[in-house]
Amino acid sequence: MPDSQISNKEMEALRVIRSHLMKYGKMPSVRELMKELNYRSPRSASVMIQKLISKNILEKKTDGSIRLIRYEVGETGGISQEQTVKVPLLGTVTCGLPVYAEENIEAEIAVSTKIARQPGKYYLLRTQGDSMNLRGINDGDLVLVKHQEHAENGDIVVALIDNEVTVKELKINEENVVLLPQSANKAHTPIILSRDFAIQGIVVSVIPL
Amino acid sequence: MPDSQISNKEMEALRVIRSHLMKYGKMPSVRELMKELNYRSPRSASVMIQKLISKNILEKKTDGSIRLIRYEVGETGGISQEQTVKVPLLGTVTCGLPVYAEENIEAEIAVSTKIARQPGKYYLLRTQGDSMNLRGINDGDLVLVKHQEHAENGDIVVALIDNEVTVKELKINEENVVLLPQSANKAHTPIILSRDFAIQGIVVSVIPL
DNA sequence: TACAAAGTGTATTTTTGTGTATGCAAAAGT
DNA sequence: ACTTTTGCATACACAAAAATACACTTTGTA
């Protein structure tokens, strides 16, 4: 039995939840959701959450807390019934490399297998900053990252620079390796690397906020 | 009977405790935990600690102090029911070599046997400095070290240099042996070694702060 | 002693999710 | 044209959980 259709109201709620998830790193409480959806009774928000659970968009974890499980990112970016893979959202990583750690997973997001082929090799990151806004990656967007250590010329890579996870374009030429920002903000300068540096993965897809 | 589920709040507390442990080398006091979790009464923090003890995440040592015992680092980094090995956290070692001594053990951390195969040959160290930040090792991170005297070209080794434990990449070529820092900070220079020097072990895994 | 910092017991308040009943407007049936 | 149904939103209430205020004891230190 496929999940029934998602109404506009539910879409709106979903958007708010996702936005809250990105902003604060956790699910909104019933009363928080109430405010953000301009409800005047917590009941409305509660009902909405129940409805989203019944449509397999949210799930109740064993401890009772709620988690976002189903937000399919298809080719169209919309929610559909395609075959999907669950991809963990690792959140904003300020230092160190992103790890698959239960406590870091803010949500399980279903991504179309057309984009993320094998499970387990992909994760989602929330970006910070505007250094890639010419390539359609803006502050707060999610990027779907394929975990791999090697990248090729022109790939948008997730790299570990200056204690931060950075998203940049990789440029390899004869002499050196450069990470190019793609921004309208001139403050961002290319980073020139010696041979070895830590590539975390390459950006496969962008999910706008 | 497996331990019951860990709630979000407990996760958050665990994260704070772990972070404090890494930063200061000891468990936070009730009142410190209170501040770090934005509680307004020490009681709240106290209750939280009791809850974590009852879930076998913390334990009371014989002298009454608290110790973190259960933080399983699996392949996913998450907390799970996998088969694990207890690995001692030896803390920041400022001089001399790390020793297995009860007084040095800050915590017993359970690590998946998939990573640490035999017990007793592994320990955890807290790192200092940024000399390896291009390899995903940042100031304050924990590294899982496998105790062995021999290393191969390209291994990230824990070596004893200048009375300090250093984490560097080992580079062996025809003429000499070099310890390469992997940092965006140009202040770190390669260290050229004569043939014999003390390798303590190799870094198997990194647990980011 | 005096004092500050620590952990914890008790009672109280706040927060949280959800149950029930109600109102209300648009859609559907007669 | 009229009921009836349906979908949403609201108000209120309640119980369980979480957090608080306050007080007390213990401990190490000057």
Side-chain angles (χ1 to χ4, degrees), chain A residues 30-44:
Chain A
V30 169
R31 278 169 165 81
E32 282 169 337
L33 189 59
M34 171 187 96
K35 278 180 199 133
E36 287 166 34
L37 285 173
N38 289 321
Y39 287 152
R40 309 178 67 183
S41 164
R43 193 76 253 264
S44 309

Side-chain angles (χ1 to χ4, degrees), chain A residues 130-168:
Chain A
D130 61 349
S131 73
M132 288 301 283
N133 57 14
L134 291 183
R135 297 296 282 262
I137 306 177
N138 294 299
D139 192 42
D141 287 353
L142 294 185
V143 288
L144 177 65
V145 181
K146 182 180 180 186
H147 179 76
Q148 60 182 46
E149 266 112 51
H150 297 293
E152 290 177 14
N153 197 6
D155 282 345
I156 310 264
V157 298
V158 175
L160 206 55
I161 305 292
D162 284 339
N163 267 4
E164 276 197 30
V165 171
T166 331
V167 176
K168 293 276 187 304

Side-chain angles (χ1 to χ4, degrees), chain A residues 62-63 96 100-101 103 160 163 198, chain B residues 5 7 18 76-77 134 136 138:
Chain A
T62 43
D63 68 341
Y100 286 101
E103 75 233 41
L160 206 55
N163 267 4
Chain B
Q5 285 299 318
S7 77
R18 192 154 57 92
T76 64
L134 290 184
N138 295 297

Side-chain angles (χ1 to χ4, degrees), chain B:
Chain B
M1 192 60 145
D3 299 331
S4 43
Q5 285 299 318
I6 290 136
S7 77
N8 286 346
K9 304 252 175 195
E10 288 155 2
M11 272 296 191
E12 173 68 14
L14 205 67
R15 199 176 0 218
V16 165
I17 290 173
R18 192 154 57 92
S19 160
H20 185 104
L21 205 53
M22 291 181 191
K23 204 164 165 189
Y24 301 107
K26 57 178 183 178
M27 278 289 293
S29 72
V30 169
R31 279 168 166 73
E32 282 169 337
L33 189 59
M34 170 188 96
K35 279 179 198 132
E36 286 167 35
L37 285 173
N38 288 321
Y39 286 152
R40 307 174 70 182
S41 164
R43 195 73 251 265
S44 310
S46 180
V47 166
M48 175 57 77
I49 286 175
Q50 291 309 321
K51 221 180 320 179
L52 292 178
I53 288 175
S54 78
K55 295 200 180 179
N56 287 330
I57 292 162
L58 300 180
E59 76 177 352
K60 239 198 188 90
K61 285 199 283 181
T62 42
D63 67 347
S65 63
I66 307 295
R67 163 187 292 183
L68 181 63
I69 47 165
R70 191 187 180 81
Y71 167 55
E72 297 180 12
V73 183
E75 279 176 325
T76 64
I79 294 183
S80 65
Q81 308 307 328
E82 313 171 61
Q83 217 180 350
T84 55
V85 176
K86 278 193 181 181
V87 173
L89 169 60
L90 296 181
T92 310
V93 186
T94 48
C95 70
L97 68 169
V99 219
Y100 285 102
E102 167 70 21
E103 74 251 28
N104 288 339
I105 297 178
E106 297 177 0
E108 289 274 353
I109 295 185
V111 175
S112 165
T113 48
K114 286 178 189 159
I115 295 182
R117 281 173 184 77
Q118 317 95 317
K121 303 194 71 174
Y122 292 85
Y123 55 91
L124 288 154
L125 282 181
R126 192 178 318 119
T127 60
Q128 283 181 316
D130 61 349
S131 73
M132 288 300 283
N133 57 14
L134 290 184
R135 296 301 281 262
I137 306 176
N138 295 297
D139 192 41
D141 287 353
L142 293 186
V143 288
L144 178 65
V145 181
K146 182 179 180 187
H147 179 76
Q148 61 181 45
E149 267 111 50
H150 297 294
E152 291 178 14
N153 196 6
D155 282 346
I156 309 261
V157 299
V158 175
L160 206 55
I161 305 292
D162 286 338
N163 263 5
E164 275 198 30
V165 172
T166 332
V167 176
K168 293 278 186 303
E169 177 175 343
L170 184 68
K171 191 81 191 173
I172 302 174
N173 54 34
E174 308 280 314
E175 305 92 43
N176 50 21
V177 177
V178 186
L179 292 185
L180 289 176
Q182 297 292 334
S183 173
N185 181 347
K186 300 292 180 202
H188 298 288
T189 51
I191 299 168
I192 299 169
L193 299 165
S194 53
R195 274 281 161 212
D196 263 357
F197 59 99
I199 284 188
Q200 297 290 321
I202 62 170
V203 172
V204 176
S205 177
V206 183
I207 303 168
L209 180 57

Side-chain angles (χ1 to χ4, degrees), chain A residues 45-208:
Chain A
S46 179
V47 166
M48 175 57 77
I49 286 175
Q50 291 309 321
K51 221 181 320 180
L52 292 178
I53 288 175
S54 78
K55 294 199 179 177
N56 286 330
I57 292 162
L58 299 180
E59 76 178 350
K60 235 198 190 92
K61 286 198 285 181
T62 43
D63 68 341
S65 64
I66 307 295
R67 164 185 288 183
L68 181 62
I69 46 166
R70 192 184 181 82
Y71 167 55
E72 298 180 12
V73 182
E75 282 173 325
T76 62
I79 295 182
S80 66
Q81 308 309 325
E82 313 170 60
Q83 216 180 352
T84 55
V85 176
K86 278 191 182 184
V87 173
L89 168 60
L90 296 181
T92 310
V93 186
T94 49
C95 72
L97 68 169
V99 229
Y100 286 101
E102 166 71 18
E103 75 233 41
N104 288 339
I105 296 178
E106 297 177 358
E108 290 274 353
I109 295 185
V111 175
S112 165
T113 47
K114 286 178 188 160
I115 296 182
R117 281 173 185 77
Q118 318 96 317
K121 303 194 71 174
Y122 291 85
Y123 54 91
L124 289 154
L125 282 181
R126 193 181 316 123
T127 59
Q128 284 180 315
D130 61 349
S131 73
M132 288 301 283
N133 57 14
L134 291 183
R135 297 296 282 262
I137 306 177
N138 294 299
D139 192 42
D141 287 353
L142 294 185
V143 288
L144 177 65
V145 181
K146 182 180 180 186
H147 179 76
Q148 60 182 46
E149 266 112 51
H150 297 293
E152 290 177 14
N153 197 6
D155 282 345
I156 310 264
V157 298
V158 175
L160 206 55
I161 305 292
D162 284 339
N163 267 4
E164 276 197 30
V165 171
T166 331
V167 176
K168 293 276 187 304
E169 178 175 342
L170 183 69
K171 190 82 190 172
I172 302 174
N173 54 35
E174 307 281 313
E175 305 92 43
N176 51 21
V177 177
V178 186
L179 293 183
L180 289 176
Q182 298 291 334
S183 172
N185 181 346
K186 299 293 180 200
H188 298 287
T189 52
I191 298 168
I192 299 169
L193 301 165
S194 54
R195 335 163 262 110
D196 263 357
F197 60 99
I199 285 188
Q200 298 290 321
I202 62 171
V203 172
V204 176
S205 177
V206 183
I207 304 166

